[in-house]
């Protein structure tokens, strides 16, 4: 390096973001508040059953509100690749749909998976994700 050469030093947060990405910065600030345990409803009605066989205990699942003519509080459950797995049961979704409609972010984690002859019984925990 010559004395006329300019060097740029990245320090602090900027270098960490460049090195690891913003997700690694935010991750320690996320607080998951356990709300409720339930199961994934409607697994036996899925045309494509393959995504049900790709999830594992401990996997994080995506919850998304859905316009649904049968249930105006429907909450769709998706895997990490946005494959439909089923729904939060109608009897359990009233409070969660209100939270989501108010802008709160909810997620779920797989507790257990039982492959029964006639259906997949997937137990989940629902969390409020707080930043």
């Amino acid at each position: 390096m010559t004395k006329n050469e300019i060097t740029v030093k990245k320090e602090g947060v900027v270098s960490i973001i460049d090195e690891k990405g913003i997700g690694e910065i935010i991750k320690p600030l996320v607080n998951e508040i356990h709300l409720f345990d339930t199961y994934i409803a409607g697994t036996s009605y899925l045309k494509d059953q393959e995504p049900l066989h790709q999830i594992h205990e401990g996997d994080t699942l995506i919850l998304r509100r859905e316009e649904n003519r049968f249930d105006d509080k429907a909450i769709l459950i998706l895997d990490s690749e946005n494959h439909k797995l089923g729904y939060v049961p109608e009897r359990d979704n009233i409070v969660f749909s209100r939270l989501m409609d108010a802008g709160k972010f909810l997620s779920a984690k797989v507790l257990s998976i039982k492959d029964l002859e006639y259906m997949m019984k997937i137990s989940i925990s629902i969390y409020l994700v707080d930043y």
Side-chain angles (χ1 to χ4, degrees):
M1 183 165 106
T2 67
K3 62 182 179 178
N4 291 335
E5 201 170 318
I6 297 175
T7 61
V8 178
K9 280 187 147 182
K10 294 181 181 179
E11 296 184 18
V13 175
V14 174
S15 66
I16 294 170
I17 290 172
D18 279 352
E19 195 175 299
K20 296 186 179 185
I22 192 73
E24 291 302 312
I25 301 294
I26 294 174
K27 193 181 270 183
L29 304 175
V30 173
N31 185 26
E32 292 180 325
I33 302 165
H34 179 252
L35 299 177
F36 192 71
D37 291 338
T38 188
Y39 63 95
I40 300 176
T43 58
S44 59
Y45 297 106
L46 292 176
K47 291 178 184 173
D48 182 9
Q49 296 279 314
E50 187 58 30
L52 296 173
H53 298 282
Q54 300 301 318
I55 60 171
H56 303 91
E57 290 181 14
D59 283 358
T60 298
L61 305 176
I62 300 163
L63 301 182
R64 184 178 300 150
R65 288 284 274 128
E66 179 186 74
E67 284 190 35
N68 186 306
R69 63 184 171 134
F70 301 109
D71 178 8
D72 63 341
K73 294 173 182 42
I75 301 173
L76 184 61
I77 302 174
L78 307 163
D79 67 11
S80 62
E81 296 180 16
N82 286 318
H83 296 116
K84 181 178 178 177
L85 303 175
Y87 293 90
V88 172
E90 185 175 6
R91 69 172 193 221
D92 298 334
N93 69 12
I94 189 164
V95 172
F96 305 127
S97 63
R98 288 179 182 169
L99 285 168
M100 294 176 83
D101 291 347
K104 301 300 181 186
F105 182 73
L106 302 181
S107 69
K109 288 190 181 168
V110 178
L111 288 175
S112 66
I113 302 168
K114 292 181 183 168
D115 192 353
L116 307 173
E117 276 183 42
Y118 55 95
M119 66 176 275
M120 294 282 288
K121 181 160 175 128
I122 303 168
S123 298
I124 61 171
S125 288
I126 296 178
Y127 293 86
L128 170 65
V129 180
D130 190 29
Y131 297 95

